[in-house]
Amino acid sequence: MISISHVSKTFGVGDRRTVALDDVSLEVGRGEIFGVVGQSGAGKSTLIRTVNLLERPDSGEITVDGRLITSLGDRELRIARQGIGMIFQHFNLLSSRTVRGNVELALEVVGVDGRERRIRAGEILELVGLEGKADAYPAQLSGGQKQRIGIARSLAARPSVLLSDEATSALDPETTRSILELLRTINRELGLTVLLITHEMDVVKSVCDSAALIEGGRIAEQGRLVELISTPGSRLARELFPLGVVPANTSGTVIDITFSGGLADRPVIAQLSRTHAIDVSILGATIETIAGNQAGRTRLELPGTPATNAAAIADLRGQGLLVEIVTGDAA
């Protein structure tokens, strides 16, 4: 649905030259929610703004819904942008217009007549839960309600792709949850493909099917979350299930066990202790629902060295669990 191929973008010249994107490639499947996560300055906002050419890349190609966006002229680009909705971090609402007026604005721009604009605005406001606020002004609404207007406006022209530029970063946690639930509902009911950027792993956990980690303008890692969870050494997986540092007073073999799907319900630790007659210490654990699947990570300490625990570790791996040795010699 969205294909970003070898895209680069720089700003400034000479000593002031900054590389925002450096040979970035991404593939976003039709109907999925894809998150791009990274710290401030990593290139997230520049990346998402290249998808609708608010920022034109210096090199590379971008295809959206079968159209090579980077090859379009101004008139063709204006038409193509009708199929690409965008939600902004700071709402970008017109204070002089009502809620309905802000939603209708997206349709005015493309020449939709007044009666059709009003009907469509009513449909979208009902979808985002603001049907009773059509005649209110932005100043009368909460931050969450303002963002719902922004979402409604982005959906007015019936896009096939929705871009979300840090849409929840200015909201409190409870409001963030409600907005993310709304995005998932929109994705499911309208079949929209959603590309969102964020610096919060909780956002990725809550709604994303796939994700990419961007650092210094380059993609460090990407993939479907259910696959990343089972990928040894995955940095995104570690961020999804943070266990902190290993306590300094450990003397045995510390291992991290990652599980997903049906493995989450099995008494793995109890069976390990009984089968191998060892005392197991639990140093940490976290469990989440990721992309609709229950998954988690547990950190254990086993007495002795990795060599003496080789049979136990092999047993765990034989059950389909991802086992990584955190301390001791590799096994």
Side-chain angles (χ1 to χ4, degrees):
M1 186 60 164
I2 302 174
S3 177
I4 300 171
S5 180
H6 301 291
V7 164
S8 294
K9 176 68 179 179
T10 60
F11 296 98
V13 295
D15 293 341
R16 295 175 180 267
R17 181 174 179 270
T18 300
V19 178
L21 299 175
D22 185 5
D23 195 29
V24 170
S25 294
L26 281 179
E27 294 290 333
V28 181
R30 184 178 297 275
E32 77 172 343
I33 300 182
F34 193 109
V36 178
V37 63
Q39 298 301 313
S40 297
K44 304 187 303 296
S45 289
T46 302
L47 175 60
I48 202 167
R49 288 168 66 87
T50 63
V51 175
N52 57 7
L53 293 199
L54 291 179
E55 296 286 356
R56 186 174 285 273
D58 300 330
S59 60
E61 296 183 339
I62 299 171
T63 302
V64 179
D65 202 9
R67 303 186 73 176
L68 185 59
I69 296 294
T70 42
S71 70
L72 300 180
D74 290 345
R75 182 177 179 278
E76 293 173 310
L77 180 58
R78 284 194 296 271
I79 296 172
R81 280 174 173 161
Q82 295 176 27
I84 308 173
M86 189 162 188
I87 313 167
F88 298 92
Q89 177 180 357
H90 297 295
F91 319 134
N92 290 4
L93 303 178
L94 296 179
S95 59
S96 60
R97 281 184 172 239
T98 64
V99 169
R100 181 187 293 108
N102 269 280
V103 175
E104 288 187 15
L105 179 62
L107 299 172
E108 289 180 36
V109 171
V110 296
V112 177
D113 69 64
R115 181 175 180 276
E116 187 176 344
R117 290 200 309 265
R118 191 176 184 88
I119 292 173
R120 179 59 178 163
E123 294 171 349
I124 295 299
L125 288 175
E126 182 176 358
L127 176 64
V128 302
L130 288 178
E131 61 270 26
K133 299 290 185 180
D135 296 320
Y137 286 87
Q140 299 172 298
L141 304 178
S142 67
Q145 289 172 325
K146 290 176 183 177
Q147 193 55 283
R148 286 173 182 264
I149 301 172
I151 293 172
R153 181 183 56 195
S154 72
L155 297 175
R158 294 183 172 85
S160 57
V161 169
L162 184 62
L163 308 178
S164 173
D165 186 0
E166 295 273 17
T168 61
S169 62
L171 306 175
D172 62 76
E174 183 176 350
T175 305
T176 292
R177 282 192 295 273
S178 70
I179 293 298
L180 293 177
E181 288 171 3
L182 176 59
L183 287 178
R184 176 53 84 180
T185 298
I186 290 168
N187 163 256
R188 184 173 56 249
E189 294 187 2
L190 302 183
L192 279 179
T193 300
V194 181
L195 175 62
L196 63 85
I197 65 168
T198 182
H199 61 273
E200 302 172 284
M201 286 304 299
D202 282 345
V203 171
V204 175
K205 290 179 188 178
S206 297
V207 297
C208 292
D209 303 301
S210 300
L213 174 64
I214 187 169
E215 293 179 331
R218 296 185 66 88
I219 299 298
E221 184 180 11
Q222 63 176 297
R224 291 188 62 80
L225 294 185
V226 292
E227 296 170 358
L228 290 172
I229 290 168
S230 301
T231 301
S234 168
R235 294 174 59 191
L236 278 169
R238 287 200 300 270
E239 292 296 326
L240 288 168
F241 305 109
L243 292 175
V245 299
V246 178
N249 60 348
T250 56
S251 58
T253 300
V254 177
I255 62 174
D256 285 349
I257 303 173
T258 304
F259 52 85
S260 61
L263 297 174
D265 298 327
R266 291 165 51 182
V268 172
I269 299 173
Q271 289 178 356
L272 179 70
S273 180
R274 287 196 304 268
T275 301
H276 297 277
I278 55 176
D279 294 325
V280 179
S281 298
I282 300 176
L283 302 181
T286 179
I287 188 167
E288 302 280 354
T289 299
I290 306 292
N293 296 285
Q294 194 174 49
R297 178 171 286 177
T298 301
R299 178 166 291 166
L300 305 179
E301 182 182 6
L302 310 180
T305 66
T308 59
N309 289 296
I313 293 170
D315 185 0
L316 292 170
R317 288 172 173 163
Q319 297 177 50
L321 297 164
L322 173 62
V323 181
E324 298 175 278
I325 297 177
V326 181
T327 64
D329 298 327

